[in-house]
Amino acid sequence: MLLVLFAVIVAGFQNCSVIRVVQVESPTVDRAASGQQFGNRANVTNSLWRGKNRYVIGNVCPNSTISRFKVTTKPHDVILGFLSLGFAVHQRIEWDCAQRTGSSEIEFRKP
Amino acid sequence: MRPGISPYTPDIPWKNCHENFSHSFSPGRSWRLHHEDEQLSASALYHRATDNMQWLIEHAIQEGYTLRAIGANWSLSPVAMCDGGMIQTKGLDLIFNIHDIHVSLSYLAEGKSSAALKFVECGVQIARLNKELEIDAQPPRCIKASGGSNGQTIAGATATGTHGAALFTGAVHDAIVGLHLVTGPDTHVWLERESYPVASDAFISWLGATPIRSDELFNAAVVSFGSFGIIHGVMIETDPLFLLKEYRITPPTYSTELLEALAGLDFARMRTLLPDIPESTPEHELYHMEMNMNPYTVKDGSGLHIFFFYKVPVPLGHVVRHGGEHDPGPSPEFIWMMKNLLTALGKDMSYNHVRNATTREFDRNIRQGIWEPMSIGAIFRDTRFSGNVASFAFAVATQSIPDVLHEVLEQIGEEAFAGAVAVRFVKGTQATLGFTHFSQTCVVELDGLDSIGNHRVFEHVLQRLEQQGISFALHWGKLQGEMTPDRLVRMYGSERIQSWKTAREQLLTLPVREVFTNEFMRKYGLDTPADTLA
């Protein structure tokens, strides 16, 4: 019975994550991901004691532009952060790169 | 690995964008094409991608697996799925400007301008194309017709017949006037209509493609859902930028008279019945017409809305904006919960729940009216629904719409349908297997939850139409119901199917046809030789 209760609590934690999706002006995405999933992801560990927690993702995109990104913090990450006195807060970052902008001119091939 | 190709590992199971089905591709058979090389010019990147497509076809023939190009993964049907692998093309996102040197003399002699044309690579999303045309181009232009949203790639929207509701213009693919088609390991062709040649020899020479001018081949290939090799680029005709002004009429009654007027596109009679419908003039021209109805209340005189968009000129100082608030609609979680609830309740118990829930949700989920004139790119934007949503659509001749709606509403009167019914009016297409092939077409859409009950309603509606001898054709990119060769013949007739198959045989060799044959085609009998009827 306790095991079931524990499983329910864990499942609840897994499904009650804090999720923020930020979509920038261009809704274009450079690759088809499965379903509503994002094309790129990374796990990062932040610290509440650091002034800035920086993870540069722009360079990963071929056109240096992203279309949207999502940051997920699971409840157990919050607990871990609490237990570590704020030194280790895990977050999951997912993002899609955007398609390029602008148009090109046709250049005829040299003979 | 060759530059411009990366191996790709699709998720298992792979889900389409709208998450209404999943699929498993064979491991190690999928690829992503891209332009990740800043040293090369746009032209060089395009040529490299053509070469890479040919290399992938060769690889598939040698290794004996099937392939399908996939764009935004937008279709609700498994039309783009296959047993082998996928080629992801969304990284192929170039748009080329077209000038007089790229255009045939006959095109210019007709008084047309090369500025009306863009050569667009297959992976370009409609959203990017809209931005390029409406915001970045000088002078601004716009696509002639759009679907309801903007996430599809141009090749995907073309290949599946994305339609919109431009009743005198046609579907998205009706603005496509040339196709650059990669047809084999050492072949690629420039395909355009003999009756409407567009490209100059210089342009075709730039592509390095073999020119083919044939109405029959072009009409077959333009809507071919990935079965004719890989569409690498399309030439699209655009219009000078116009804005759309919306009017929304809520008729007080759902009458036979109104339906007959709609069926005959008799606007004089419609204005007699609905005096609020504005006049169509050259500066204020009717462009788009659609009906949205709650199937449970429409006969009682409520739950029917008719949307009109009129083309109007762009006023001085107008700034096109594609940003703004996202209109989210119901959350996937809500839909998921409702779907499961309805499935658990069973048929008898669920009918009233479905009817009440649908009626409650109908007005809440009707798109907000757009009262300021806006551009196509600003109106037809993000898809509002995702996750566990079923979208089912079929085309019928506009004159049969009273009978069709009678059958649809009768079926929903007997069997619960969790969703709404819409009718969009669109000019017929010349595409051989374009599903909007009736000279004046109505696309009837049943959009709702992805539940077993709704799927049953879809199939029963089709059976009713067949029993009544009403011709219809199913949207390639949406749910299909029962897919059989017999049904395909009823939808298109033997002659069209034979013509499509013959065109495929002329353009692709047998080994290449095998690479691009999938289960979707087999179910409809489109994989068999042209001389054996479907």
Side-chain angles (χ1 to χ4, degrees):
Chain A
M1 187 66 187
L2 275 176
L3 203 61
V4 172
L5 186 63
F6 178 73
V8 168
I9 291 169
V10 169
F13 274 178
Q14 292 291 340
N15 289 319
C16 298
S17 311
V18 179
I19 297 174
R20 293 283 176 271
V21 178
V22 180
Q23 189 155 332
V24 295
E25 192 173 325
S26 165
T28 64
V29 180
D30 75 334
R31 71 184 68 175
S34 178
Q36 300 289 318
Q37 302 303 306
F38 287 57
N40 306 281
R41 58 186 69 101
N43 291 306
V44 295
T45 302
N46 296 319
S47 167
L48 296 178
W49 300 102
R50 234 181 291 154
K52 282 182 182 173
N53 291 280
R54 189 176 280 189
Y55 183 82
V56 180
I57 59 176
N59 293 340
V60 183
C61 292
N63 308 309
S64 297
T65 52
I66 59 170
S67 168
R68 54 180 188 157
F69 66 89
K70 179 166 92 173
V71 181
T72 305
T73 314
K74 302 261 185 198
H76 54 75
D77 295 329
V78 176
I79 293 171
L80 184 66
F82 181 76
L83 294 175
S84 67
L85 302 176
F87 281 100
V89 181
H90 289 295
Q91 290 182 308
R92 181 184 171 94
I93 301 176
E94 295 165 275
W95 71 95
D96 283 327
C97 301
Q99 291 194 320
R100 73 184 65 217
T101 57
S103 57
S104 308
E105 296 299 331
I106 288 172
E107 292 172 3
F108 290 109
R109 281 189 254 212
K110 288 174 189 149
Chain B
M1 184 51 61
R2 293 164 65 94
I5 305 180
S6 303
Y8 183 74
T9 308
D11 289 349
I12 298 177
W14 172 263
K15 288 183 176 177
N16 65 325
C17 186
H18 298 287
E19 298 190 345
N20 68 304
F21 72 84
S22 52
H23 179 82
S24 292
F25 290 96
S26 299
R29 303 297 197 201
S30 293
W31 314 92
R32 185 171 74 87
L33 294 176
H34 59 80
H35 287 325
E36 291 163 17
D37 189 337
E38 291 175 6
Q39 305 302 315
L40 294 179
S41 68
S43 293
L45 288 170
Y46 187 89
H47 295 313
R48 186 178 76 176
T50 303
D51 292 344
N52 283 339
M53 287 175 183
Q54 292 186 308
W55 185 85
L56 287 173
I57 295 171
E58 172 74 36
H59 190 268
I61 292 171
Q62 283 180 356
E63 301 283 322
Y65 63 93
T66 54
L67 272 180
R68 215 73 177 170
I70 193 163
N73 195 21
W74 206 256
S75 290
L76 288 112
S77 74
V79 65
M81 302 296 117
C82 67
D83 301 335
M86 71 161 88
I87 303 176
Q88 281 214 22
T89 59
K90 274 179 86 176
L92 305 183
D93 56 358
L94 294 166
I95 298 176
F96 289 98
N97 299 318
I98 294 296
H99 304 288
D100 285 358
I101 191 172
H102 307 126
V103 176
S104 73
L105 292 176
S106 61
Y107 187 81
L108 296 173
E110 283 184 23
K112 294 178 185 292
S113 163
S114 57
L117 298 166
K118 289 279 181 191
F119 184 60
V120 183
E121 203 173 19
C122 53
V124 169
Q125 285 182 272
I126 299 294
R128 155 147 162 70
L129 182 59
N130 284 339
K131 182 173 182 296
E132 170 58 28
L133 292 171
E134 296 184 5
I135 296 175
D136 297 340
Q138 286 304 327
R141 302 191 66 87
C142 62
I143 54 177
K144 287 171 177 276
S146 172
S149 54
N150 62 6
Q152 312 94 324
T153 59
I154 188 68
T158 299
T160 54
T162 299
H163 56 93
L167 79 163
F168 302 122
T169 306
V172 173
H173 65 264
D174 292 318
I176 303 296
V177 291
L179 296 170
H180 178 213
L181 200 58
V182 179
T183 51
D186 46 17
T187 54
H188 58 117
V189 301
W190 172 255
L191 189 55
E192 60 185 12
R193 289 191 179 97
E194 188 180 11
S195 61
Y196 198 70
V198 173
S200 67
D201 291 345
F203 176 80
I204 300 167
S205 163
W206 170 74
L207 284 176
T210 305
I212 299 179
R213 295 190 173 94
S214 159
D215 286 25
E216 199 165 355
L217 295 186
F218 181 89
N219 290 339
V222 71
V223 176
S224 56
F225 30 90
S227 315
F228 276 53
I230 304 170
I231 293 176
H232 187 186
V234 301
M235 189 79 88
I236 186 169
E237 262 184 346
T238 63
D239 276 341
L241 182 67
F242 58 82
L243 302 185
L244 294 175
K245 181 167 172 53
E246 182 172 3
Y247 297 89
R248 192 168 289 193
I249 312 278
T250 303
T253 54
Y254 177 82
S255 65
T256 309
E257 261 194 308
L258 177 61
L259 287 177
E260 283 174 357
L262 287 164
L265 294 179
D266 183 346
F267 292 100
R269 195 167 164 205
M270 280 166 63
R271 271 190 208 94
T272 312
L273 298 166
L274 304 170
D276 290 342
I277 299 176
E279 285 287 342
S280 183
T281 63
E283 294 285 286
H284 183 263
E285 186 186 352
L286 180 58
Y287 169 81
H288 169 119
M289 185 163 80
E290 67 175 273
M291 296 159 64
N292 288 276
M293 61 182 75
N294 174 353
Y296 297 100
T297 61
V298 66
K299 284 183 176 171
D300 302 329
S302 67
L304 172 63
H305 304 286
I306 308 180
F307 299 169
F308 298 92
F309 282 102
Y310 284 66
K311 268 186 186 181
V312 294
V314 184
L316 273 177
H318 179 86
V319 178
V320 174
R321 292 186 203 284
H322 290 173
E325 287 296 307
H326 178 60
D327 184 6
S331 70
E333 291 76 15
F334 167 79
I335 294 171
W336 180 248
M337 184 187 75
M338 194 168 161
K339 172 193 166 186
N340 288 337
L341 178 65
L342 296 173
T343 305
L345 283 172
K347 186 181 174 186
D348 293 338
M349 285 291 290
S350 68
Y351 190 90
N352 287 340
H353 288 275
V354 173
R355 185 186 60 195
N356 295 340
T358 301
T359 300
R360 196 168 53 243
E361 293 299 319
F362 178 74
D363 281 320
R364 274 190 215 168
N365 286 291
I366 287 283
R367 178 180 55 75
Q368 293 296 306
I370 300 162
W371 310 122
E372 289 297 314
M374 292 169 80
S375 66
I376 281 181
I379 294 171
F380 302 111
R381 292 177 53 220
D382 315 37
T383 293
R384 297 167 64 240
F385 301 105
S386 63
N388 303 298
V389 175
S391 188
F392 174 78
F394 57 87
V396 295
T398 299
Q399 63 261 31
S400 67
I401 199 65
D403 295 335
V404 172
L405 286 177
H406 173 76
E407 297 300 330
V408 169
L409 296 178
E410 283 291 303
Q411 188 58 42
I412 295 174
E414 292 176 10
E415 198 169 29
F417 172 65
V421 178
V423 179
R424 300 188 208 289
F425 295 75
V426 56
K427 185 185 162 193
T429 182
Q430 296 180 65
T432 311
L433 292 190
F435 85 105
T436 53
H437 65 77
F438 305 93
S439 60
Q440 276 299 334
T441 296
C442 274
V443 179
V444 180
E445 298 180 356
L446 281 76
D447 291 340
L449 300 178
D450 191 12
S451 65
I452 295 166
N454 274 2
H455 283 254
R456 222 168 16 224
V457 173
F458 299 155
E459 181 54 34
H460 289 163
V461 165
L462 296 184
Q463 287 171 8
R464 273 177 174 271
L465 298 182
E466 284 172 338
Q467 282 162 12
Q468 298 301 320
I470 299 171
S471 297
F472 65 86
L474 289 163
H475 191 316
W476 294 110
K478 294 195 172 182
L479 297 177
Q480 294 295 301
E482 194 187 342
M483 299 164 69
T484 64
D486 286 347
R487 179 166 276 174
L488 191 77
V489 172
R490 284 196 292 277
M491 291 196 289
Y492 292 95
S494 311
E495 202 176 313
R496 277 173 182 266
I497 297 167
Q498 212 149 15
S499 169
W500 189 87
K501 286 182 176 182
T502 304
R504 189 168 182 252
E505 288 177 6
Q506 283 179 30
L507 288 166
L508 308 184
T509 61
L510 180 60
V512 179
R513 290 202 299 275
E514 285 171 354
V515 168
F516 292 102
T517 297
N518 67 358
E519 185 60 18
F520 187 90
M521 291 175 66
R522 277 192 286 273
K523 283 185 176 172
Y524 273 132
L526 286 168
D527 60 318
T528 56
D531 52 13
T532 59
L533 194 50

